Amino acid sequence: EVNIMKKIISLLLVLFLCLSLCACGKSKAVTAYEELVQKIGTVSLDSEDAIIEAENAYLALSDEEKEAVAESKRAEYDSLAKAKAEQEARLNSVTALIEAIGNVTLDSEAAILAAEEAYDSLPAEEKAMITDAANKLIESRAAYDSAVAEQMAMHAAEVTSAIEAIGTVTLDSRDAINAARALYNTLTDEEKQLVTILNILETAEATYESLWEAEKQRIITEYSKKFDIDSDPIEGISWYMHENMPNYIDTRSYIIP
């Protein structure tokens, strides 16, 4: 029993010495480095100073000590920093497109569309980071739409005035009617919807056509009385000879309009 107790005590002493040696195996430099790494905690974009401090401590270790310690968290930080730089680049690009719109005119559509497309491609959290630029984009779109609406209304008003200028339709109204129709045809589909008196133009066109057809018939009837008509039913040809045309055309030469 005494021998057994001695063996147990000896084993405990050996174990204690091993633990002591293991504990003493770490140098102060290694311990300090590990504490600095532990201090970093969860890596964020605010961790750079702590990482650099740990890196400097790591560089001061011997080769044997470096093999015994945990890896640096530099890669994790660099990944976050890269993602942050890419995010800033996207936001700067979108902001630059919005700034490039400048003072809004009727020529601003392409610039506004480019900025809107770039802004819409951002995730919600990044849109929230450029609220001032986003508000400016909204204002630019509103200003452009207002300018377009004003121009459309002006074009529609010009056509309306041209239609109203036709007045009572007579045989002298052709130019006024054609001018109003040509002006109407230059409108976009949206602008045409703003012309509420198109029916007046269509009625004027129909009235003029009716008057002109009647006038043509009047002219034909009036002047047909002054011509002798010789028809060939087989060939389907009619010759109109003026009543004053000389009878003896075999003895003289004539030029007949």
Side-chain angles (χ1 to χ4, degrees), residues 30 33 57-71:
V30 170
Y33 167 76
Y58 178 81
L59 294 174
L61 299 178
S62 66
D63 293 339
E64 293 79 5
E65 289 172 329
K66 288 178 180 178
E67 292 177 358
V69 299
E71 294 182 358

Side-chain angles (χ1 to χ4, degrees), residues 167-193:
T168 302
V169 178
T170 67
L171 288 170
D172 296 325
S173 301
R174 182 181 65 177
D175 290 344
I177 292 173
N178 289 344
R181 171 57 69 177
L183 195 59
Y184 177 81
N185 289 341
T186 64
L187 300 180
T188 64
D189 291 340
E190 292 82 2
E191 290 171 336
K192 289 177 179 177
Q193 297 298 320

Side-chain angles (χ1 to χ4, degrees), residues 153-174:
M154 180 183 67
H155 290 167
E158 290 174 352
V159 173
T160 298
S161 296
I163 294 174
E164 292 174 341
I166 295 172
T168 302
V169 178
T170 67
L171 288 170
D172 296 325
S173 301
R174 182 181 65 177

Side-chain angles (χ1 to χ4, degrees), residues 28-257:
K28 291 183 179 180
V30 170
T31 302
Y33 167 76
E34 290 180 343
E35 289 176 353
L36 289 173
V37 172
Q38 190 67 27
K39 181 181 176 182
I40 295 172
T42 301
V43 177
S44 70
L45 291 172
D46 296 325
S47 303
E48 186 175 22
D49 290 343
I51 290 173
I52 291 175
E53 186 177 6
E55 286 178 335
N56 291 335
Y58 178 81
L59 294 174
L61 299 178
S62 66
D63 293 339
E64 293 79 5
E65 289 172 329
K66 288 178 180 178
E67 292 177 358
V69 299
E71 294 182 358
S72 169
K73 294 192 176 184
R74 166 59 67 180
E76 188 177 351
Y77 174 81
D78 287 344
S79 177
L80 288 175
K82 180 181 178 182
K84 179 66 174 178
E86 291 173 349
Q87 180 186 73
E88 290 179 350
R90 286 194 299 272
L91 296 180
N92 290 338
S93 177
V94 173
T95 301
L97 286 173
I98 294 173
E99 291 294 334
I101 295 172
N103 294 327
V104 177
T105 68
L106 289 170
D107 297 323
S108 300
E109 182 179 23
I112 291 174
L113 288 174
E116 286 176 335
E117 182 179 358
Y119 178 78
D120 290 340
S121 68
L122 296 177
E125 61 271 16
E126 291 184 2
K127 290 179 180 178
M129 298 172 70
I130 53 170
T131 54
D132 289 343
N135 290 334
K136 184 172 182 178
L137 179 57
I138 293 172
E139 293 171 359
S140 296
R141 166 54 68 180
Y144 176 76
D145 289 346
S146 177
V148 170
E150 184 178 347
Q151 184 187 58
M152 290 171 58
M154 180 183 67
H155 290 167
E158 290 174 352
V159 173
T160 298
S161 296
I163 294 174
E164 292 174 341
I166 295 172
T168 302
V169 178
T170 67
L171 288 170
D172 296 325
S173 301
R174 182 181 65 177
D175 290 344
I177 292 173
N178 289 344
R181 171 57 69 177
L183 195 59
Y184 177 81
N185 289 341
T186 64
L187 300 180
T188 64
D189 291 340
E190 292 82 2
E191 290 171 336
K192 289 177 179 177
Q193 297 298 320
L194 301 176
V195 179
T196 59
I197 60 171
L198 177 62
N199 62 308
I200 295 178
L201 174 58
E202 294 172 339
T203 300
E205 290 172 330
T207 300
Y208 178 81
E209 285 300 319
S210 178
L211 291 175
W212 176 234
E213 286 298 325
E215 177 64 8
K216 286 192 292 184
Q217 291 301 318
R218 184 194 68 77
I219 293 173
I220 291 172
T221 300
E222 177 184 347
Y223 284 91
S224 292
K225 297 176 182 179
K226 300 180 180 182
F227 289 84
D228 294 327
I229 303 174
D230 185 9
S231 299
D232 183 343
I234 303 300
E235 297 292 336
I237 300 174
S238 296
W239 289 271
Y240 289 78
M241 302 297 182
H242 196 273
E243 61 183 3
N244 294 330
M245 184 176 179
N247 292 325
Y248 302 103
I249 61 173
D250 58 334
T251 60
R252 301 175 65 184
S253 296
Y254 298 92
I255 298 175
I256 302 173

